[in-house]
Amino acid sequence: MQWIGGLALIAVILYDIFFAVVLPRRTGTFLRWSRYLIVAAWPIWRSIGMRLQPAWRREDFLGTFAPLTILLLLFSWTLGLVLGFGLTVHAVRGDFQPPILDFSTSVYVAGTSLLTIGFGDVVAISTGARFLMLAAGAAGLTIVALVITLMYTLYASFARREVLVLALDSRAGVPPSGVTLLETYAQFDILDELAETFTRFELWTAEMLDSHLAYPILPYFRSSHDGQSWVSALGAVLDAATLLAVAVDRDHPSAPAPKVRASAEMFYSIGCHAIIDLTQVRWFFAQFDPASEGPGIERAEFEAACQQLAESGLRVDYSEETWLVFAQRRAIYATRLNLLAQYLSTPPAPWVGDRSSLANLLAPHLGH
C-alpha cells in the first residue's frame, strides 16, 4: 500500500508539473493541483485586498498574489514529491544502511536525495533502493529547471503584454478609454495611423490570448503602473474599434481611410474571440446569466461619447438605428469583459467593469 500511495502521489505531482509547465495549452482541471490552488485562493486574497485602503495599498496587496502563488506551487510540488518518495522509501526501509526505523526518517532520506543534499548518513544497499534514490534526485533537478523556465516565460510574457498597455497612456488616457483614443487621433489629425494601432493590438491580443490560456496564472499578474490593466486596455481598444466601425461616418471627407476601418473590424473580431475564450472557465459560468448580455452602457452614454467625438472633428451618427447596431456589437463582449474586470478587481475604467464607484476609487488610486 505504501508503494501504491507513494507512486500515485508522485504521478499526480509530475502530471501537474507537466501540464502546468511543459505543455503550453489549456487543459482540463482533473488532477491539476495548480489550477485548483489558483481558483480557490484568489477569491480569498481578493476579499482581503478589497478591504484595504487607500487604493494604492489595495493594488500592492493584490499584485503580490501571482508571484506568491508561483512560490507556493513550487513549495507544494516539492513537498508532494518528498512525501511521495518518502512513502516509497518506507516501503523498502530494510534496503538501507543503517535500517530506517520510522516514517519521518524515510521522508528525511527522500528529501535529502530529492534536494540533492546527499549527507550520506543513510545509504541504499539494494539495486531497487539505489534506483529509487536516483529517481528522487532526478525529479528534484527537473523541478528546479522547469520552475526557472516557467518564471522566465511568465515574466517575459508579462513584460511583452505591458509594453502596449503603457503605450496606450498617451493615446487613450489613464484609465484607458476608447472614446479618448479616437479623440486623440482626431485632434492630432492622424486618423490614418489608427490602422497601425489596431494592427499592433491585433497581434498583442493574439499573443496575450495564447499565453494566458497556456499559463492560467498570467491573468493575475497586475500592471506595475497605476490605473492600468490589460483588461481595461483590451476593452478600450475594442470600444474604439466598435465606435469607429459603427458610429463614424465613412463618407465624410474627415472620415478615416478604408484601411483604418478594415483594421478596426479585424481587431474587433480577434478581440471578441479573446474575451470569449478567456471566460470559458468555471468561475465565469457560475456568475454568467445569458439573459443579462447587453451593451453594458446606456443610450445617453453612447450619445455623450458621440458628441465628444464630434467636438474633436469627427462626423458621427448617433441615431436610433446606429445605437441599436452599436449595442448589438458591444453586447458580444461587454458582459464578459465586465465580469472579467470585476473578478480580477482591475482598476475601474470608463465602460469597463463596475463603474458605479469610479470616482471614489480612481481619485486616491491616481494620487499615489
Side-chain angles (χ1 to χ4, degrees), residues 294-307:
I297 63 171
E298 302 295 333
R299 169 73 183 275
E301 294 176 285
F302 170 72
E303 291 182 355
C306 290
Q307 290 171 1

Side-chain angles (χ1 to χ4, degrees), residues 54-128:
W56 64 264
R57 192 181 302 279
R58 176 172 59 248
E59 281 297 303
D60 287 348
F61 180 81
L62 294 176
T64 62
F65 174 78
L68 284 177
T69 300
I70 295 173
L71 295 178
L72 182 58
L73 280 174
L74 173 60
F75 175 78
S76 64
W77 287 335
T78 303
L79 180 61
L81 287 178
V82 168
L83 291 176
F85 279 106
L87 286 170
T88 56
V89 167
H90 200 61
V92 293
R93 55 189 178 275
D95 294 340
F96 289 85
Q97 186 64 41
I100 297 174
L101 301 178
D102 50 42
F103 179 68
S104 62
T105 304
S106 297
V107 172
Y108 163 76
V109 172
T112 56
S113 181
L114 186 80
L115 300 175
T116 64
I117 298 175
F119 289 128
D121 50 343
V122 179
V123 181
I125 57 176
S126 71
T127 302

Side-chain angles (χ1 to χ4, degrees), residues 1-13 84-85 87-88 132:
M1 288 300 293
Q2 291 173 338
W3 266 104
I4 296 175
L7 292 177
L9 182 56
I10 294 170
V12 168
I13 298 298
F85 279 106
L87 286 170
T88 56
L132 182 60

Side-chain angles (χ1 to χ4, degrees), residues 54-57 174 226-227 359-368:
W56 64 264
R57 192 181 302 279
V174 181
D226 292 338
N360 294 330
L361 286 176
L362 193 56
H365 182 80
L366 295 180
H368 171 46

